[in-house]
Amino acid sequence: MIGTFEYVRVGSIKEGCEILVAQDKRAVALAGGTDLLVNIRNTGRSPDLLVDFKQVEQMNDLVTDSDAGVKIGACVPLNVIADNRPINERHGALAQAARSIGSYQVRNRATLGGNIANASPAADTAPALLVLGASVNVEGKDGSREIPIDELFTGVKKTSLKQGEVITDIVLPSLGSQVRSAFIKKQRVRGHDLAIINMAACYSPDTGMLRVAIGSCAVTPILLPEVAVSMDEPIDELVKRLNVVAQDAISPIDDIRASAEYRRGLVPVLLHDLIRYVLSPGGGRR
Amino acid sequence: MKLHEITITVNGTRESVSVPAGMTLLELLREKLYLTGPKEGCGAGECGACTVLLDGRPVTSCLVLAVEADGKDVRTIEGEATDGQLSALQRAFIDAGAIQCGFCTPGMVMSARALLERNPHPSDAEITEAISGNLCRCTGYESIIAAVRLAAERGEK
């Protein structure tokens, strides 16, 4: 037995939200369970009720449209995102981030909605969603609303979701076919460890603007201010410039995975690899 | 504690059972259905010893609630052999010497099974990726990769 909770499977978002509100903090939403169930097992602290949203059709939909963008139901498993061709082509950072999480088996259960609702500072999909300009649709007793992803994370394991609100889907804006994004992370071992640091970048050749987001280096994933990139600027100079901004924005801590100093030291290393990739569509332009 | 009536198909056989909400799929398989092939190693989805196929996809059954599997199809290592004959994939594990203590093997075989179903001719890199969620502490992986390669060469699907 993993815990002493009760379980209910809901057929609609409304039904689930009503239960969450009625039960107040005694009930929690269940998606893939790969964080929630491990946490219940490890801490021995169990909510009274798990409300399973996985049967809700809308939360399993994945709609890709090159004009309208992408809408990913909160309960879509990470493997489905990692294997989706349009997402790989147009929103590569998210596909790469999804593919980097856990093991193949875990990615068949873990969901995108769960990864961000869990709000770990090390959530791998978070930097990708930040640089891609995603937003999340949430629903609760007062109706539905849209939250820009950079307003979702408020602290360690804390979000701006209100009691009884759930993420229903994640929306990625349509990006031009030239836009290039990528995700990178450093971890102690591959597959079964959270990131020491993770990072995503997105570059738009049309506007010349570059966005970078960093995870595992503050209480929330951090989106750096967008910077204009000149193609004349050597990549080392660009990395230096971004590193100054990044070092100011992050506040890493010492933990079991790495020291704060090591994390700070990794920032320019990862920046270099990531930026060279997104700025060089043919590979090796600089 | 409230019991949930669920029906799952395990290795082709429909089973109706009553389970408490907190019971994992792994516990249901091992303790109620006496299918002790899937093992509990870490209990946290990291070692892969409990890997089974849920609607054809490999999952760590220690992180799936039995109630979540209601209405679904489950395959375990016990479903590999037919009429007392090992599957070609199991035979390849033996022929390649991919077994030592055997604790990880039921999970390894199920991850390999799922790989060969989605990709009958995997590269070594694809095999490595597919079993990266299955830890082995004795054979050193090389012989396991060789076993999956051998099964693919023999046309195991």
Side-chain angles (χ1 to χ4, degrees):
Chain A
M1 294 283 289
I2 217 164
T4 55
F5 49 80
E6 287 299 334
Y7 167 94
V8 61
R9 178 187 298 165
V10 295
S12 72
I13 295 166
K14 188 167 179 285
E15 182 191 353
C17 291
E18 281 171 0
I19 294 173
L20 287 175
V21 169
Q23 294 288 319
D24 197 19
K25 287 177 181 161
R26 295 185 302 271
V28 297
L30 171 68
T34 54
D35 274 307
L36 181 61
L37 296 180
V38 173
N39 198 35
I40 290 172
R41 187 191 157 104
N42 286 350
T43 61
R45 284 200 304 275
S46 194
D48 289 350
L49 178 67
L50 302 188
V51 184
D52 187 355
F53 282 83
K54 283 193 293 297
Q55 297 290 315
V56 177
E57 206 176 318
Q58 182 195 334
M59 290 168 96
N60 286 288
D61 285 345
L62 172 52
V63 184
T64 57
D65 182 316
S66 52
D67 295 324
V70 180
K71 195 166 164 185
I72 305 169
C75 291
V76 171
L78 294 175
N79 268 343
V80 172
I81 295 165
D83 292 341
N84 183 279
R85 180 175 284 190
I87 294 177
N88 275 278
E89 288 170 355
R90 295 293 183 96
H91 300 90
L94 181 62
Q96 292 164 24
R99 197 176 297 116
S100 80
I101 294 175
S103 63
Y104 190 81
Q105 293 98 307
V106 165
R107 295 195 296 274
N108 278 334
R109 297 295 292 171
T111 66
L112 182 60
N115 192 235
I116 56 175
N118 189 48
S120 162
D124 286 317
T125 63
L129 293 173
L130 281 164
V131 296
L132 294 170
S135 55
V136 297
N137 290 326
V138 307
E139 206 166 311
K141 70 174 170 40
D142 301 326
S144 55
R145 63 187 177 119
E146 186 179 335
I147 308 176
I149 190 77
D150 58 345
E151 293 173 16
L152 181 70
F153 306 111
T154 55
V156 177
K157 301 244 168 185
K158 289 193 172 68
T159 67
S160 51
L161 292 178
K162 295 178 196 150
Q163 174 61 30
E165 267 187 339
V166 293
I167 297 170
T168 58
D169 31 46
I170 294 94
V171 180
L172 306 176
S174 173
L175 302 172
S177 60
Q178 302 302 309
V179 171
R180 200 166 154 89
S181 67
F183 170 85
I184 193 169
K185 77 171 155 185
K186 175 82 177 166
Q187 50 192 151
R188 295 176 301 180
V189 291
R190 196 164 155 253
H192 305 124
D193 198 15
L194 298 183
I196 291 172
I197 168 171
N198 52 20
M199 202 180 275
C202 182
Y203 173 64
S204 168
D206 294 342
T207 60
M209 299 304 279
L210 173 70
R211 272 196 294 234
V212 173
I214 303 175
S216 296
C217 278
V219 292
T220 67
I222 300 275
L223 177 64
L224 301 181
E226 203 170 30
V227 295
V229 174
S230 151
M231 277 297 148
D232 303 329
E233 185 178 10
I235 191 159
D236 289 345
E237 294 301 318
L238 177 59
V239 169
K240 261 187 209 162
R241 190 153 69 89
L242 273 166
N243 188 41
V244 171
V245 179
Q247 298 291 345
D248 193 45
I250 63 176
S251 47
I253 57 166
D254 297 334
D255 67 13
I256 55 165
R257 292 186 185 85
S259 66
E261 187 184 4
Y262 185 70
R263 287 189 161 92
R264 285 192 179 278
L266 279 175
V267 168
V269 181
L270 266 60
L271 272 176
H272 189 276
D273 289 354
L274 195 59
I275 289 168
R276 191 173 56 182
Y277 179 84
V278 296
L279 293 187
S280 314
R285 182 168 169 217
R286 295 179 182 208
Chain B
M1 190 174 297
K2 186 184 161 202
L3 292 177
H4 298 257
E5 302 293 328
I6 65 166
T7 302
I8 62 173
T9 303
V10 183
N11 299 325
T13 304
R14 271 169 68 92
E15 304 273 3
S16 292
V17 283
S18 304
V19 295
M23 174 179 268
T24 65
L25 176 58
L26 177 63
E27 288 166 334
L28 168 63
L29 292 171
R30 288 181 59 88
E31 292 163 24
K32 287 204 124 178
L33 302 178
Y34 305 114
L35 298 172
T36 54
K39 304 285 188 279
E40 178 160 304
C42 66
E46 294 186 0
C47 77
C50 65
T51 300
V52 301
L53 306 192
L54 187 64
D55 283 347
R57 286 188 284 272
V59 298
T60 46
S61 61
C62 72
L63 287 190
V64 178
L65 298 175
V67 284
E68 291 181 287
D70 187 19
K72 295 188 187 298
D73 182 79
V74 177
R75 278 191 284 163
T76 71
I77 188 70
E78 285 88 349
E80 277 291 305
T82 45
D83 300 329
Q85 297 291 310
L86 296 181
S87 69
L89 178 59
Q90 287 174 304
R91 175 57 56 194
F93 266 68
I94 294 172
D95 293 346
I99 293 169
Q100 196 163 320
C101 86
F103 193 87
C104 74
T105 312
M108 282 286 182
V109 171
M110 297 320 287
S111 282
R113 163 67 56 210
L115 170 66
L116 294 177
E117 284 181 0
R118 67 181 183 269
N119 178 2
H121 303 290
S123 65
D124 281 6
E126 287 165 337
I127 296 171
T128 305
E129 169 63 25
I131 61 166
S132 64
N134 295 81
L135 301 187
C136 167
R137 299 292 81 171
C138 18
T139 68
Y141 299 108
E142 290 296 332
S143 51
I144 295 171
I145 293 165
V148 181
R149 195 192 303 128
L150 182 63
E153 284 165 7
R154 289 174 177 174
E156 173 67 20
K157 288 198 180 91

